[in-house]
Amino acid sequence: MSALRARSRRRRVGMIGGIIALALLYVVVIALYAAGGRIDHAEVSSGGDGSPLVLTLTPVDIDGTAGHMTLRITPGPLGAYSSDQFSMDETVQILVTGTDGSRTIEYGAEEVAGPQTIVLTLDGFIEQWPFDRYTTETLIVPLRADADGQGVPIPYSLTADGRVPGWNVDAEAVSTASMVTEDGPITVLGVQFTVTRAASTIAFGVVLLTLMVIAPVLVLTAAITVYRGRRRIEATMLGWIGAMLFATIPLRNFLPGSPPIGSWVDYLIVLWVIAALIAGLVIFVLAWLRSGPDGPAVASQSADGENGDRARVRAGDGGSDGDGDAGGDD
């Protein structure tokens, strides 16, 4: 009795421990998601005389599959080149590099200076998901036309800020050569972005992959147990194993970031999960074939044989009784 109580106590402790572990995992994943994705505030100034034009760079979206990062450029405060801080007093062009070719954003005189969206090209390999890493660098120069119609840099400053859920973005200011202008020496500025998956995204992927690995372990355990004759063969298990097999692909496509087919995760985990599930299916079918004809037919034949034996036994008993009676009469 004491052994049974100790065993029951261990089971309760194990169950409580499992529940606590799941709760802690849940809290950790949520906390990582809430804390991730924040861009460290970065700011750099070109120098020069007068109040600078401030440009705020905010990453909006990151697509590792396409290798693109959507960046919003928001002007303001407009500095000495706007009297009302809403529109430019003269035409200002903002040259942006790092896109699919150079791009120029133009704000005409008396035109409201609103935010503009550009797409930067990322350098990296999504096949390394979830530990893929991307870099991109952009140079941004606001220009105004001089007396000869040539573009001349104006004093400005760049600020990188914002938040992209699921990603860690590290913004580092870049300063290049200086140019002497009417406003003094102006340094051409840029920002280098380094993009990696957030810890919450990695945790999400690891948990999902762990669940995928558990599925073939369960299937192989059940199939081997049946093959060794320790459990009864039930044909309905074929449907269960097939469902586990077809559920693998939706789970794989649910991975955050949608890594393309042929990524490292497929060679390391997904391929072998599918192979193990099919192996479990093969083992169960072999056990089913080894057991002989299907159960209903065997049961029917056995029942017919037993009924026949019983009828013969009854007939034999009746004959014996008859002979005995006859002999008694004689």
Side-chain angles (χ1 to χ4, degrees), residues 159-183:
T159 300
D161 204 354
R163 183 176 184 272
V164 183
W167 294 90
N168 289 330
V169 182
D170 182 21
E172 182 180 356
V174 176
S175 300
T176 60
S178 298
M179 301 176 61
V180 178
T181 67
E182 297 178 357
D183 299 309

Side-chain angles (χ1 to χ4, degrees), residues 223-239:
I224 293 174
T225 302
V226 170
Y227 186 82
R228 295 175 62 184
R230 299 178 61 182
R231 288 293 185 273
R232 186 178 58 184
I233 296 176
E234 297 181 4
T236 54
M237 287 185 62
L238 290 173

Side-chain angles (χ1 to χ4, degrees), residues 28-103:
V28 169
V29 171
I30 297 301
L32 290 175
Y33 179 79
R38 195 67 178 170
I39 301 173
D40 293 335
H41 183 80
E43 186 173 354
V44 63
S45 178
S46 67
D49 301 331
S51 180
L53 169 66
V54 178
L55 299 175
T56 301
L57 311 181
T58 305
V60 177
D61 183 57
I62 298 172
D63 188 349
T65 304
H68 289 157
M69 181 174 73
T70 304
L71 185 69
R72 183 170 63 239
I73 301 178
T74 305
L78 303 181
Y81 295 90
S82 174
S83 56
D84 56 10
Q85 296 302 311
F86 290 101
S87 60
M88 296 293 184
D89 293 338
E90 58 181 300
T91 300
V92 174
Q93 294 181 337
I94 301 176
L95 179 63
V96 183
T97 65
T99 61
D100 294 332
S102 298
R103 174 175 175 177

Side-chain angles (χ1 to χ4, degrees), residues 104-122:
T104 301
I105 301 173
E106 182 173 316
Y107 295 105
E110 306 301 329
E111 179 182 339
V112 175
Q116 298 288 334
T117 300
I118 62 172
V119 177
L120 300 180
T121 302
L122 296 175

Side-chain angles (χ1 to χ4, degrees), residues 307-329:
N307 292 334
D309 292 340
R310 290 171 182 170
R312 285 191 294 272
V313 169
R314 291 194 186 99
D317 293 344
S320 299
D321 294 341
D323 293 341
D325 294 339
D329 293 337

